[in-house]
Amino acid sequence: MRIGVPKEIKNHEYRVGLTPASVAELVAAGHEVVVETRAGTGIDFADEAYTRVGAKIAPDAAAVFAGADMIVKVKEPQPQEIALLEPRHTLFTYLHLAADKPQADGLIQSGATCIAYETVTSNSGALPLLKPMSEVAGRMSIQVGAHYLEKEQGGRGELLGGVPGVAPCKVAILGGGVAGINAAQMAVGQRADVTIYDISNERLAELDLHFGSQIKTAYASKAAIAEAVTRSQLVIGAVLVPGAAAPKLVTRDMLKTMMRGSVLVDIAIDQGGCFETSHATTHDDPVYEVDGVIHYCVANMPGAVARTSAFALNNATLPFVLRIANHGAEAAMQADRHLAIGLNVSGGKIRHQAVAEALDLPFEAWAA
Ligand SMILES: NC(=O)c1ccc[n+]([C@@H]2O[C@H](COP(=O)([O-])OP(=O)(O)OC[C@H]3O[C@@H](n4cnc5c(N)ncnc54)[C@H](O)[C@@H]3O)[C@@H](O)[C@H]2O)c1
């Protein structure tokens, strides 16, 4: 198959759909790969790194789309990219269509087969292509939290792990899923005093077994959260109710009880945020203050560590890219129902029920 990798064009997006190592695997399997010039330069993948493993370099996105049957990207296609899609194309990328009607309309009109990373499932019911970004965001949340606790950044001037003779900071992690457990691992590594709150007793039991005495766990009742925010220097929001807006666990009133210069990191901001006072920020201007509490609410945290994120994403996507390339999208989806659940749009129809419902558009199941 001919596989195309355009340069990402969203503001401050440096990740790339395929790393040179992934291209090498595809070329070894007999496929052709065409990469847009400078697609990876932002994260130190020069064009030569791609040509060395057998890719061709194209001068622009139009040449990539014209010379490829499958397009592998990171972010949802922008209008100028949608205009280049044809019915023969398979598009494999994050789409997040439920809140993006114009994009959905464009993909419907293109006639292309569009498979969204975020709806591909696994045997355990998890979302394996979303997981690496939650891992990155979870781990990053502690390093940004620790940074903004510094006095120069407007924080309390406290070191997360304390020092001998000075107590460590208290870190409350709301939601003990993928992002939450990764945040906890980093916070424990920095010797913070960590408590994870969740409403799943099963999850709390797993966390208890996993961490032993390194952390505390607590059921995420309103009272427990109200108490947690009052005594924690760093609060991480990492809850998820799949398909729904994040519940507002920390209210404006609770915020008033927090210590001045403490820090909230709302990882769940991409689902609307779990603090009442959260609004999405960007890497250009990541924080703001409400009632003396610093809020970090960047909706694409992994973009800050684009090189790590590109590798992590490729580790998860490459097996699927190889299967689509080896067998074609139709046969690959017939053979793997989890990949088929990733199908959002094809033949001008919405193929994912939840996406159709969210957009109030007709749903037509894909027939193998
Ligand atoms: N900001 C970013 O850059 C970024 C990057 C990656 C992921 N995310 C987001 O991070 C969030 C967490 O993702 P994840 O992969 O860890 O999800 P997950 O499904 O693995 O974990 C979510 C956890 O939240 C718990 N939960 C649900 N409702 C709760 C409540 N009311 N109180 C306490 N706990 C509750 C669940 O039981 C679950 O354990 C999602 O919104 C995801 O989209 C954001």
Side-chain angles (χ1 to χ4, degrees):
M1 188 181 273
R2 298 177 310 161
I3 300 147
V5 183
K7 180 171 166 52
E8 293 295 321
I9 51 179
K10 259 196 118 165
N11 193 21
H12 286 296
E13 183 53 69
Y14 301 104
R15 288 174 290 177
V16 60
L18 292 176
T19 61
S22 296
V23 171
E25 298 273 342
L26 287 158
V27 170
H31 303 293
E32 279 178 36
V33 183
V34 54
V35 179
E36 185 176 345
T37 185
R38 303 183 62 76
T41 45
I43 50 172
D44 204 18
F45 299 147
D47 286 356
E48 299 75 59
Y50 285 105
T51 52
R52 218 177 293 133
V53 293
K56 292 197 187 88
I57 299 297
D60 52 30
V64 170
F65 280 68
D69 307 304
M70 167 160 55
I71 302 295
V72 182
K73 275 178 52 62
V74 179
K75 297 303 285 183
E76 69 279 6
Q78 302 303 295
Q80 58 271 51
E81 294 174 311
I82 293 174
L84 297 171
L85 280 172
E86 296 175 28
R88 66 187 175 83
H89 282 128
T90 295
L91 173 67
F92 195 38
T93 190
Y94 287 118
L95 292 177
H96 295 290
L97 280 183
D100 192 349
K101 182 91 173 4
Q103 190 204 160
D105 288 340
L107 296 182
I108 288 169
Q109 273 168 24
S110 76
T113 298
C114 307
I115 305 174
Y117 292 159
E118 72 274 6
T119 62
V120 172
T121 53
S122 71
N123 278 335
S124 64
L127 304 170
L129 305 190
L130 208 51
K131 188 177 175 200
M133 296 305 101
S134 290
E135 290 170 340
V136 170
R139 291 188 175 206
M140 249 189 88
S141 67
I142 299 301
Q143 86 187 39
V144 299
H147 176 67
Y148 285 106
L149 277 170
E150 291 172 14
K151 193 68 201 158
E152 287 306 308
Q153 306 303 323
R156 284 182 70 70
E158 287 193 75
L159 184 62
L160 208 58
V163 287
V166 181
C169 292
K170 287 189 165 46
V171 178
I173 300 174
L174 311 183
V178 178
I181 194 172
N182 278 275
Q185 279 162 347
M186 292 299 108
V188 164
Q190 292 207 27
R191 297 181 173 224
D193 177 353
V194 182
T195 307
I196 307 182
Y197 298 80
D198 206 296
I199 46 167
S200 161
N201 286 316
E202 200 183 335
R203 188 63 186 159
L204 291 173
E206 286 165 3
L207 292 165
D208 183 72
L209 268 181
H210 179 85
F211 286 103
S213 57
Q214 289 180 309
I215 61 151
K216 286 161 254 164
T217 58
Y219 186 81
S221 64
K222 281 190 178 58
I225 292 173
E227 200 204 324
V229 299
T230 307
R231 54 189 178 86
S232 300
Q233 285 90 341
L234 175 58
V235 180
I236 309 291
V239 298
L240 176 66
V241 181
K248 302 288 180 211
L249 301 181
V250 176
T251 63
R252 179 78 198 245
D253 285 345
M254 288 183 196
L255 196 76
K256 290 189 168 70
T257 70
M258 287 186 74
M259 292 177 259
R260 304 296 94 178
S262 51
V263 177
L264 298 179
V265 178
D266 201 346
I267 306 177
I269 190 67
D270 60 343
Q271 296 292 125
C274 59
F275 309 132
E276 197 179 336
T277 44
S278 291
H279 64 74
T281 59
T282 62
H283 290 297
D284 283 338
D285 192 9
V287 292
Y288 61 94
E289 209 180 294
V290 181
D291 292 340
V293 176
I294 298 176
H295 291 54
Y296 176 100
C297 305
V298 175
N300 64 331
M301 292 173 68
V305 287
R307 196 174 151 92
T308 300
S309 300
F311 283 120
L313 181 60
N314 270 242
N315 289 346
T317 55
L318 181 63
F320 293 99
V321 175
L322 271 166
R323 259 178 266 157
I324 297 170
N326 289 343
H327 307 292
E330 294 254 320
M333 288 191 292
Q334 269 167 29
D336 180 354
R337 70 183 175 87
H338 293 299
L339 180 63
I341 295 171
L343 183 66
N344 278 213
V345 181
S346 72
K349 313 271 188 224
I350 298 277
R351 305 297 192 183
H352 193 283
Q353 190 153 8
V355 170
E357 280 166 12
L359 291 168
D360 203 17
L361 285 171
F363 162 67
E364 205 170 303
W366 174 72

